[in-house]
Amino acid sequence: MKKQYCIANWKMNKSFHDCEEFVTKLNNEFIYNGSEMVICPSFIHLNRMKFLTKNIKIDIGSQTISENKNGAYTGEISAEMLTDINIKYSIIGHSERRHLFNEKDIAIRNKIFNAARNQIKPILCIGETLKERKSNQTNEVLKMQIKIACETANFIDDNIIIAYEPVWAIGTGVAADLDTISKTHEQIRAFLPTFLKKSENISILYGGSVNNDNCRDIINLNDVDGFLIGGAALDAQMFLNIYNKMN
Ligand code: PGA
């Protein structure tokens, strides 16, 4: 069965104290409504966030993962290490990783493989740049990103989440319009079976300037199974409002 997700990507934000404040709010007000809530803080807060949310039905995920299994890779965090502290989700291939850290499709493929091998559900981010959209390359770009990311992990079945995040809508305050989201999600849904087994169970999330005002219209679109949220997920009340509008 396809699930709905509301996923927070905190990026490089929040102190230890901020995490505690955020979770205090959730502990008081979060009511599970059938959609899964996942928060992805920085690596150093993962363990603490696991502990703080232990009494509520919220999952904690990482924002990336090493493409290597283990060894001499200073500063890296492996899938095995995340499994060790019971992390079940990892964002992989976020556009900031691709563009600011030059993460290539092949690296993303290795990350997906390592995550899936360690029972971590990858949240695979795909998305086109404005230039690619304007030159009608969106579908080809998205297809290629999924194909390369998933081709070695043919054991994934439906153990993956796809997050469609047009690069031009991330952090800009201007989400893609409803027609664009609807058509693009429909296309992704249509080509997913070519690359992934049991694709009918795979959730396709939208990300890019989701907020309290636009979330209800977006979630009501066919083929949108939730959100990956940056800016609006930094505020506990705003994130809760969005989550509550999802049922
Ligand atoms: P945004 O970020 O909601 O701030 O646009 C989304 C993301 O980067 O995943």
Side-chain angles (χ1 to χ4, degrees), residues 98-115:
R98 291 179 192 259
H99 297 111
L100 302 176
F101 300 96
N102 208 19
E103 221 169 73
K104 299 288 181 224
D105 283 326
I106 301 294
I108 291 164
R109 177 168 81 190
N110 295 337
K111 288 170 186 237
I112 295 277
F113 184 90
N114 287 340

Side-chain angles (χ1 to χ4, degrees), residues 45-75:
H45 294 135
L46 287 173
N47 224 349
R48 183 72 183 149
M49 285 293 290
K50 279 295 280 185
F51 175 77
L52 292 170
T53 55
K54 66 182 187 307
N55 295 325
I56 40 179
K57 199 172 158 23
I58 288 175
D59 260 301
I60 304 300
S62 71
Q63 297 174 13
T64 184
I65 211 169
S66 176
E67 66 168 304
N68 299 107
K69 197 168 174 296
N70 61 339
Y73 301 101
T74 303

Side-chain angles (χ1 to χ4, degrees), residues 2-5 123-128 133 138-139 142-143 146 161-166 168-169 175-193 199-200 202-208 210 215 217-228 246:
K2 217 164 33 127
K3 285 186 177 171
Q4 286 208 141
Y5 291 90
I123 303 156
L124 171 63
C125 299
I126 57 169
E128 80 287 3
R133 173 156 289 275
T138 300
N139 270 348
L142 302 180
K143 261 190 205 167
I146 293 185
I161 296 168
I162 305 292
Y164 168 58
E165 298 203 301
W168 43 274
D177 62 69
L178 295 177
D179 193 47
T180 301
I181 300 174
S182 169
K183 287 198 175 118
T184 314
H185 277 238
E186 194 184 320
Q187 300 280 2
I188 297 169
R189 176 69 58 212
F191 66 63
L192 222 43
S199 67
E200 66 280 7
I202 295 174
S203 306
I204 306 173
L205 317 187
Y206 170 76
V210 172
C215 63
D217 288 339
I218 299 175
I219 199 67
N220 283 337
L221 297 170
N222 280 341
D223 293 318
V224 175
D225 307 308
F227 303 120
L228 178 56
M246 284 181 61

Side-chain angles (χ1 to χ4, degrees), residues 7-228:
I7 303 182
N9 174 11
W10 279 356
K11 311 191 181 186
M12 200 172 70
N13 292 297
K14 293 207 182 288
S15 64
F16 212 65
H17 177 71
D18 295 336
C19 293
E20 291 189 338
E21 259 186 13
F22 194 101
V23 178
T24 302
K25 178 99 182 153
L26 293 185
N27 272 319
N28 291 335
E29 295 186 26
F30 172 78
I31 299 169
Y32 180 69
N33 65 12
S35 298
E36 309 306 318
M37 184 185 277
V38 182
I39 299 176
C40 302
S42 71
F43 279 125
I44 58 161
H45 294 135
L46 287 173
N47 224 349
R48 183 72 183 149
M49 285 293 290
K50 279 295 280 185
F51 175 77
L52 292 170
T53 55
K54 66 182 187 307
N55 295 325
I56 40 179
K57 199 172 158 23
I58 288 175
D59 260 301
I60 304 300
S62 71
Q63 297 174 13
T64 184
I65 211 169
S66 176
E67 66 168 304
N68 299 107
K69 197 168 174 296
N70 61 339
Y73 301 101
T74 303
E76 289 286 273
I77 307 281
S78 72
E80 272 174 32
M81 291 169 178
L82 294 174
T83 307
D84 233 15
I85 58 164
N86 212 10
I87 295 298
K88 298 277 192 308
Y89 295 89
S90 178
I91 298 172
I92 292 180
H94 188 277
S95 88
E96 284 150 18
R97 302 288 324 168
R98 291 179 192 259
H99 297 111
L100 302 176
F101 300 96
N102 208 19
E103 221 169 73
K104 299 288 181 224
D105 283 326
I106 301 294
I108 291 164
R109 177 168 81 190
N110 295 337
K111 288 170 186 237
I112 295 277
F113 184 90
N114 287 340
R117 265 277 180 270
N118 285 279
Q119 283 72 52
I120 294 171
K121 201 186 250 286
I123 303 156
L124 171 63
C125 299
I126 57 169
E128 80 287 3
T129 61
L130 194 55
K131 191 165 163 227
E132 288 161 344
R133 173 156 289 275
K134 284 189 170 158
S135 54
N136 288 326
Q137 289 177 289
T138 300
N139 270 348
E140 281 320 300
V141 168
L142 302 180
K143 261 190 205 167
M144 247 3 230
Q145 287 174 341
I146 293 185
K147 178 178 187 291
I148 299 173
C150 299
E151 65 192 355
T152 55
N154 52 8
F155 51 87
I156 283 183
D157 288 340
D158 52 4
N159 189 29
I160 188 166
I161 296 168
I162 305 292
Y164 168 58
E165 298 203 301
V167 177
W168 43 274
I170 296 177
T172 58
V174 185
D177 62 69
L178 295 177
D179 193 47
T180 301
I181 300 174
S182 169
K183 287 198 175 118
T184 314
H185 277 238
E186 194 184 320
Q187 300 280 2
I188 297 169
R189 176 69 58 212
F191 66 63
L192 222 43
T194 318
F195 307 116
L196 286 158
K197 288 182 235 161
K198 300 192 188 160
S199 67
E200 66 280 7
N201 295 336
I202 295 174
S203 306
I204 306 173
L205 317 187
Y206 170 76
S209 298
V210 172
N211 61 37
N212 201 10
D213 299 325
N214 60 22
C215 63
R216 205 189 287 276
D217 288 339
I218 299 175
I219 199 67
N220 283 337
L221 297 170
N222 280 341
D223 293 318
V224 175
D225 307 308
F227 303 120
L228 178 56

